[in-house]
Amino acid sequence: MKVVGLIGGMSWESSLEYYRIMNQLVRERLGGQHSARILMFSVDFHELEEYMRLDGWEEVTSVLIDAARRLEKGGADVVVICTNTMHKGAPEIEKAVGIPLLHIGDATGEEVIERGISVVGLLGTRYTMEQDFMKAHLSSKYGLEVRVPGPESREIVNRVIFDELCLGEIREESRNAFIRIIEEMAAEGAEGIILGCTEIPLLVRQSDVSIPLFDTTAIHSRKAVEWALKDNFLRT
């Protein structure tokens, strides 16, 4: 089993989910008392959030490169960034280490295509929704038409992520607001919705809506386990 290096803490609430899901999947696939071989470097998200607000993406990427190098030195065989937004610096981070980076956009894009969906809505931080690093990755590499909600809805989604979900707060009124936004995007032609922030699945689940949801936390975790176990016998 390969060692998966997680860059976490963005926020730690969703990093917990990566750890939980990956260990559950390894136990399911290998049986017995098996668990995942994981290294995690957890950053101080407050520092990165301040950089982002000031458009200091070079500083953000520098912090993540340092984290990736620490994981590589610690024996990780692959790097997994436990957040969508920080994939803005994924090309630079991958170049800075000698081990592969498992891109959340690739894991998600492959799953969307497998479901036969070509038009997707994307929810996430305002950086993920308004900048091109994730939308362009999904459209250029997987041929997806990626749509985001209007300005007012983007503001709601971003506020809930940073002011509530990243602080571990789950509010029913926010769940209802997300459901409304998702339903509006479905009515406007989205065939599926990418939950493009690893905290959103803490708030909204597939049972809340009829349109297919793509939980990037679960998808990314599952792909990491598949990568780690690709040379192992998997229990059927």
Side-chain angles (χ1 to χ4, degrees):
M1 188 190 312
K2 302 292 193 302
V3 178
V4 178
L6 303 179
I7 302 180
M10 303 169 288
S11 66
W12 62 259
E13 279 82 5
S14 62
S15 301
L16 280 172
E17 290 299 293
Y18 271 84
Y19 187 80
R20 179 185 64 80
I21 293 169
M22 289 178 62
N23 278 292
Q24 285 182 339
L25 288 173
V26 168
R27 184 169 60 190
E28 290 171 7
R29 298 188 184 197
L30 297 182
Q33 300 297 325
H34 283 289
S35 55
R37 299 181 69 195
I38 294 172
L39 288 175
M40 179 183 286
F41 187 92
S42 190
V43 302
D44 181 358
F45 189 43
H46 182 86
E47 174 188 4
L48 296 184
E49 196 273 334
E50 288 188 332
Y51 285 145
M52 288 190 292
R53 282 192 289 105
L54 298 173
D55 202 30
W57 289 100
E58 289 186 7
E59 290 83 357
V60 169
T61 300
S62 178
V63 170
L64 299 183
I65 285 173
D66 175 70
R69 286 174 171 164
R70 289 172 184 264
L71 290 171
E72 183 179 23
K73 289 178 181 177
D77 297 303
V78 67
V79 173
V80 172
I81 307 172
C82 301
T83 170
N84 286 264
T85 300
M86 300 309 173
H87 278 74
K88 180 178 174 68
E92 291 80 8
I93 297 165
E94 187 167 29
K95 290 176 184 176
V97 293
I99 57 177
L101 182 147
L102 187 58
H103 199 293
I104 199 168
D106 290 331
T108 303
E110 289 170 6
E111 184 136 338
V112 173
I113 292 300
E114 287 175 5
R115 293 283 296 274
I117 289 173
S118 59
V119 182
V120 288
L122 175 63
L123 300 181
T125 66
R126 65 181 177 89
Y127 309 105
T128 299
M129 291 187 289
E130 295 177 0
Q131 298 183 23
D132 282 338
F133 61 90
M134 188 61 68
K135 292 183 291 185
H137 189 93
L138 293 169
S139 61
S140 64
K141 194 166 183 178
Y142 298 96
L144 298 174
E145 180 182 337
V146 183
R147 302 178 179 179
V148 296
E152 182 177 337
S153 294
R154 293 200 301 270
E155 177 58 33
I156 292 170
V157 171
N158 186 76
R159 178 187 58 76
V160 170
I161 290 170
F162 281 105
D163 295 349
E164 299 174 23
L165 301 181
C166 285
L167 300 176
E169 297 181 14
I170 306 297
R171 300 181 183 177
E172 189 62 28
E173 61 268 28
S174 296
R175 177 180 290 110
N176 292 335
F178 271 58
I179 291 171
R180 175 185 58 78
I181 292 168
I182 289 169
E183 290 176 344
E184 289 174 352
M185 296 186 77
E188 294 170 356
E191 302 166 349
I193 303 293
I194 295 174
L195 304 183
C197 172
T198 53
E199 282 79 28
I200 296 178
L202 301 173
L203 180 68
V204 180
R205 302 185 183 278
Q206 184 62 71
S207 57
D208 294 322
V209 296
S210 58
I211 187 172
L213 298 181
F214 294 91
D215 175 348
T216 54
T217 306
I219 292 169
H220 205 198
S221 298
R222 184 163 58 248
K223 188 63 67 173
V225 168
E226 290 173 359
W227 193 94
L229 296 179
K230 61 185 176 182
D231 296 325
N232 283 64
F233 169 76
L234 303 188
R235 186 181 67 178
T236 58

